[in-house]
């Protein structure tokens, strides 16, 4: 049977349908997890592991002082680098070293620390949340300070793996924003000697099995870097050699661990080309990499908005880790 189509009626009907489609700006606001406020109770009760027995490398003459203006959840004045440990009810035998962000000016331990620990422990992971020293707080060789703590943390996790019933070979790292830069530096500079060994733990490998980089700072120079993060880490007017040293994408090689990347396309603080830089470097080196670009989420969304696709990244990261851990 031949049906004759009335073009005018079809267009009118289409117009009615289009008029009934909600405008994009009428969508429900993103439900971004709260990042501000007091220290979460689960943080204050979590066991702590000090990274350094005695003064850390490059200690300043006077200890750093905590900010009197920032919320307590944004940790500053880090004289004692540490990890807080969060254990699952039922362990899958694997661990994640989690590195919160904060532009290298503070450590954001709610949205990128305890929230992440809650989600990952529910999946069976033992989570070590790192509070690393901040490079602008008077430490010598400021560009090495966070990496010193990240290397040391990874080695301590492996040294104590048996007591936590985890496999030292499958420890992953997960970093956010400036913490993503630190995680990227760890996986590309794990063998760089940035501190003198302290004990037997420092004989262990600091390279993670896998990495997750969530809206990471990768570029250390314009046009894509986050200016405050780069300046705080590298100091004012750094030379080209120092910039290159802490540009992780330049150091990807055949040994760089499989890496999972997440970025929102509407991130104006740390634009998505940062993740693209690292992805392209991984592809050029023939290394496993997976990248998820989300339409919306902005910057600093932590475990992600509950009412948008970006909130699905923890489950995707879990699947990525399980695929690569065997």
């Amino acid at each position: 049977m031949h049906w004759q189509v009335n073009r005018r009626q079809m267009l009118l009907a289409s117009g009615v349908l289009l008029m009934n489609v909600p405008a994009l700006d009428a969508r429900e606001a993103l439900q971004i997890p709260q990042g501000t406020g007091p220290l979460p109770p689960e943080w204050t009760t979590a066991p702590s592991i000090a990274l350094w027995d005695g003064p850390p490398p490059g200690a300043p003459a006077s200890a750093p002082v905590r900010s009197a203006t920032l919320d307590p959840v944004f940790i500053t004045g880090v004289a004692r680098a540490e990890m807080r440990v969060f254990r699952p009810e039922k362990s899958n035998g694997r661990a994640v070293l989690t590195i919160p962000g904060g532009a290298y000016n503070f450590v954001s331990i709610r949205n990128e620390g305890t929230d992440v620990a809650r989600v990952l422990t529910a999946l069976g992971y033992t989570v070590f949340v790192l509070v690393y020293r901040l490079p602008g707080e008077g430490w010598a060789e400021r560009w090495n300070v966070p990496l010193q703590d990240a290397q040391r943390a990874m080695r301590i996790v492996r040294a104590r793996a048996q007591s936590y019933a985890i496999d030292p070979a499958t420890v992953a790292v997960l970093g956010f924003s400036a913490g993503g830069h630190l995680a990227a530096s760890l996986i590309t500079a794990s063998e760089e000697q940035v501190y003198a060994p302290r004990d037997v733990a420092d004989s262990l490998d600091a390279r993670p099995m896998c990495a997750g980089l969530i809206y990471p700072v990768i570029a250390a120079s314009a046009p894509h870097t986050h200016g405050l993060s780069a300046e705080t880490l590298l100091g004012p007017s750094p030379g080209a050699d120092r910039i290159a040293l802490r540009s992780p994408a330049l150091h990807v090689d055949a040994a760089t661990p499989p890496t999972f990347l997440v970025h929102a396309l509407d991130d104006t603080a740390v634009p998505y080309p940062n993740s693209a830089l690292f992805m392209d470097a991984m592809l050029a080196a023939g290394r496993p990499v997976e990248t998820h670009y989300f339409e919306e989420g902005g910057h600093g969304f932590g475990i992600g908005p509950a009412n948008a696709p970006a909130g699905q990244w923890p489950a995707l990261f879990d699947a990525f880790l399980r695929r690569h851990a065997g």
Side-chain angles (χ1 to χ4, degrees):
M1 180 182 293
H2 177 70
W3 293 93
Q4 185 173 2
V5 177
N6 185 315
R7 181 174 176 81
R8 182 173 180 274
Q9 288 180 341
M10 182 177 70
L11 290 174
L12 286 172
S14 298
V16 171
L17 288 173
L18 287 172
M19 284 188 290
N20 288 333
V21 173
L24 288 180
D25 59 6
R27 288 184 295 186
E28 179 185 25
L30 292 179
Q31 297 172 12
I32 303 293
Q34 177 72 24
T36 59
L39 291 171
E42 59 268 36
W43 179 262
T44 57
T45 58
S48 172
I49 301 174
L51 296 190
W52 306 98
D53 183 10
S62 56
V65 178
R66 177 163 293 193
S67 169
T69 58
L70 289 176
D71 283 359
V73 78
F74 301 130
I75 294 179
T76 58
V78 183
R80 179 182 179 272
E82 62 171 341
M83 293 182 286
R84 296 288 174 111
V85 187
F86 299 85
R87 304 185 72 169
E89 289 187 11
K90 184 177 180 181
S91 175
N92 62 12
R94 299 169 189 158
V96 178
L97 174 66
T98 298
I99 308 179
Y104 284 125
N105 278 253
F106 57 86
V107 181
S108 183
I109 59 90
R110 182 193 294 276
N111 63 334
E112 296 164 354
T114 56
D115 283 357
V116 175
R118 182 181 69 254
V119 169
L120 292 184
T121 54
L123 295 170
Y125 295 93
T126 301
V127 179
F128 299 81
V129 178
L130 178 62
V131 177
Y132 49 94
R133 291 170 294 143
L134 301 169
E137 293 189 333
W139 305 93
E141 296 186 357
R142 62 196 294 163
W143 54 92
N144 286 334
V145 167
L147 183 57
Q148 291 168 348
D149 289 346
Q151 286 186 358
R152 177 71 176 166
M154 182 59 64
R155 289 168 173 144
I156 289 175
V157 170
R158 287 200 162 118
R160 302 190 183 190
Q162 186 174 1
S163 64
Y164 291 103
I166 57 176
D167 180 357
T170 61
V171 181
V173 68
L174 176 64
F176 299 78
S177 193
H181 179 272
L182 181 50
S185 298
L186 179 63
I187 63 174
T188 57
S190 61
E191 295 182 349
E192 184 181 334
Q193 187 167 348
V194 290
Y195 67 90
R198 294 287 183 97
D199 54 34
V200 67
D202 287 323
S203 65
L204 300 177
D205 190 3
R207 193 191 311 274
M209 177 272 294
C210 275
L213 309 179
I214 315 301
Y215 42 84
V217 178
I218 296 297
S221 60
H224 298 308
T225 192
H226 182 254
L228 180 59
S229 298
E231 182 175 346
T232 304
L233 178 65
L234 303 176
S237 303
D241 289 348
R242 190 178 299 174
I243 292 172
L245 181 68
R246 291 293 168 255
S247 295
L250 299 180
H251 304 288
V252 171
D253 60 22
T256 303
T259 301
F260 175 93
L261 293 145
V262 167
H263 229 113
L265 296 175
D266 63 351
D267 188 338
T268 58
V270 179
Y272 75 87
N274 279 271
S275 284
L277 283 171
F278 204 85
M279 178 186 69
D280 289 346
M282 292 288 286
L283 292 172
R287 300 302 297 147
V289 63
E290 180 169 316
T291 306
H292 296 271
Y293 291 120
F294 293 103
E295 175 197 0
E296 52 185 348
H299 189 74
F301 53 72
I303 57 173
N307 60 339
Q312 300 302 311
W313 77 258
L316 296 169
F317 182 54
D318 172 47
F320 181 82
L321 292 181
R322 286 187 283 109
R323 288 285 292 174
H324 286 281

